[in-house]
Amino acid sequence: MTRVLAPTAANLLDAAQRLRAGELVGMPTETVYGLAGNALDSSALAKIFAMKDRPTFDPLIVHIAKPRRFPERDLRVLLEAPGLVDGSAMSEKARARAARLASAFWPGPLTLVLPRGPAIPDLVTAGLDTVAIRMPAHEVAQSLLALCGLPLAAPSANRFGRISPTKAEHVVAELGLRLDVVLDGGPCAIGVESTVVAIANDGTLTLLRPGGIPVEAIAAVAGEIPEARAGILEEPGKGAASPGMSASHYAPAKPLVLLERPLREMAAIPAMLLGGMRIGLLVSGGSRGAADKRFRVLGGPAPALSVTLSHSRDLSEAASRLFGVLRQFDAKEDVDLIVAEPPTEAGGLAHAIRDRLTRASRRADRPPRT
Ligand code: TXA
Ligand code: MG
């Protein structure tokens, strides 16, 4: 069974030694908990895929330590010298964009997809000629990176296709029989994964996954809105730009229906929700009880459980609670179906919240639970 360890100096040192020895460690980050292993060691990487039941066509994010002088430190020194990124494949415009985005958002929840360098093993990239790099902001992740002195591959610490963990206890629930140690960094402050942006060799930006950094913030720094590739990301293996973004990611065990619009804008509850199923109502925002009342006025049954992500409609609070609340619905026995209201807002973190709820609502091609 996984031991949950406080991030004391001794435990951090022990975890760093495990990583250096090719073992895996549960690592808190500001977005979600990661399953970390040495990004330069193919056998450690193979353990990551095996422990998560993750298909090897789904590439990993490489996490790097924050240097003492950042952002003054050149990206060349940070990424190219250690062979993580191939700078020779980047135009000046691409380099400048990468540097600007890194200095604006690193350390933090932005992952940059750049030309792959010679030190990166095939298993990291799933054979692609690009590599995803992120500098996490969480203090425990940074301590671990500094102590082990290695870049760390770290996918979210859940079994493939399941909800990402935002607390140490979620990691135990997902991987408890397989993983030895998770460092407890408390609940993740952001609660949805990093925003993944590819920078093409000519400097063009593509949004591969909405996440903790709103796309508007990226546009403000880069001077260009990253073109979203959501449409083509839904068929893994079919030339998708981000093979891991299969439609069914982030799925609770129970079926989830995402309403087309907020309850207060709806005229009636869709008939399919009235078939005697016991409903868990996931409300994005608003006052206690208002959504339940509206749900019933529209002809819906009384929910067995109703949870509001943020009563004050604070999107940061809503994002940070989202995955934990999905787990709560999964654990509640008298809920058969989760009905989720989309956030009323369009931009900011609402983008990532809507994306995760949409994915959670698509179960058709979800892999079976193990
Ligand atoms: O917030 C996060 O990014 C968390 C924490 C632990 O850092 N990690 C995370 O990793 O979400 P994971 O493996 O669950 O998601 C990685 C995403 C996948 O959608 C994958 O397809 C994409 O990044 N990705 C990785 N390398 C890529 C590449 N070379 N090109 C395109 N997409 C890539
Ligand atoms: Mg994941």
Side-chain angles (χ1 to χ4, degrees):
M1 196 66 177
T2 311
R3 281 183 301 145
V4 179
L5 300 179
T8 60
N11 287 340
L12 280 164
L13 212 56
D14 172 70
Q17 264 153 12
R18 287 173 185 271
L19 290 166
R20 293 196 64 84
E23 292 173 38
L24 308 185
V25 169
M27 172 176 81
T29 83
E30 71 279 20
T31 56
V32 301
Y33 276 73
L35 177 63
N38 181 356
L40 307 179
D41 173 356
S42 292
S43 82
L45 296 166
K47 287 181 196 168
I48 293 180
F49 285 97
M51 200 177 284
K52 276 183 61 92
D53 299 322
R54 179 168 169 134
T56 48
F57 64 68
D58 193 356
L60 303 173
I61 295 175
V62 175
H63 297 65
I64 57 168
K66 176 167 96 96
R68 249 181 255 124
R69 290 178 300 112
F70 189 78
E72 298 92 78
R73 188 118 172 206
D74 190 5
L75 278 186
R76 282 174 221 250
V77 180
L78 195 63
L79 301 180
E80 294 174 36
L84 304 182
V85 165
D86 176 9
S88 71
M90 294 169 79
S91 65
E92 272 316 307
K93 186 176 173 197
R95 277 167 181 283
R97 280 227 156 124
R100 223 174 299 137
L101 289 172
S103 56
F105 300 114
W106 282 1
L110 175 68
T111 295
L112 293 178
V113 173
L114 299 167
R116 164 192 181 177
I120 300 289
D122 280 337
L123 269 177
V124 168
T125 67
L128 297 173
D129 55 7
T130 53
V131 62
I133 311 258
R134 142 166 152 81
M135 188 189 285
H138 199 290
E139 209 183 310
V140 174
Q142 278 302 332
S143 303
L144 203 54
L145 284 159
L147 282 171
C148 72
L150 295 165
L152 295 175
S156 49
N158 50 280
R159 280 167 296 145
F160 184 67
R162 295 267 300 136
I163 305 165
S164 298
T166 50
K167 289 181 178 169
E169 71 203 50
H170 299 164
V171 179
V172 180
E174 289 287 327
L175 304 173
L177 297 174
R178 308 177 176 187
L179 177 68
D180 291 333
V181 163
V182 57
L183 289 168
D184 189 353
C188 299
I190 292 176
V192 290
E193 298 83 352
S194 60
T195 304
V196 181
V197 173
I199 305 183
N201 295 355
D202 68 358
T204 309
L205 301 182
T206 307
L207 177 69
L208 299 179
R209 176 174 73 184
I213 302 277
V215 73
E216 300 85 352
I218 291 167
V221 168
E224 180 183 300
I225 302 171
E227 183 199 334
R229 279 285 179 78
I232 67 159
L233 301 182
E234 287 162 12
E235 291 174 86
K238 292 197 184 160
S242 190
M245 291 306 287
S246 46
S248 61
H249 257 66
Y250 318 102
K254 291 181 183 165
L256 182 148
V257 171
L258 177 60
L259 298 174
E260 267 173 41
R261 52 180 71 87
L263 282 164
R264 64 176 188 222
E265 293 171 19
M266 289 181 67
I269 299 293
M272 63 167 292
L273 303 184
L274 306 176
M277 271 181 293
R278 295 168 303 173
I279 287 187
L281 186 61
L282 170 54
V283 181
S284 68
S287 68
R288 201 176 295 276
D292 285 29
K293 213 162 130 197
R294 180 82 189 140
F295 193 71
R296 303 207 53 190
V297 165
L298 294 174
L305 172 66
S306 164
V307 181
T308 301
L309 291 175
S310 171
H311 290 295
S312 62
R313 296 192 182 277
D314 171 350
L315 286 171
S316 302
E317 182 188 25
S320 71
R321 294 191 61 213
L322 176 64
F323 289 150
V325 165
L326 289 177
R327 280 178 193 276
Q328 209 180 320
F329 282 111
D330 263 353
K332 179 94 167 114
E333 262 178 31
D334 55 0
V335 167
D336 307 314
L337 175 73
I338 307 166
V339 176
E341 181 192 43
T344 32
E345 301 81 354
L349 284 171
H351 191 181
I353 294 171
R354 191 184 296 268
D355 172 82
R356 302 308 187 267
L357 286 173
T358 304
R359 289 173 198 287
S361 72
R362 296 189 191 145
R363 290 160 45 95
D365 57 353
R366 208 178 83 205
R369 286 185 79 195
T370 52

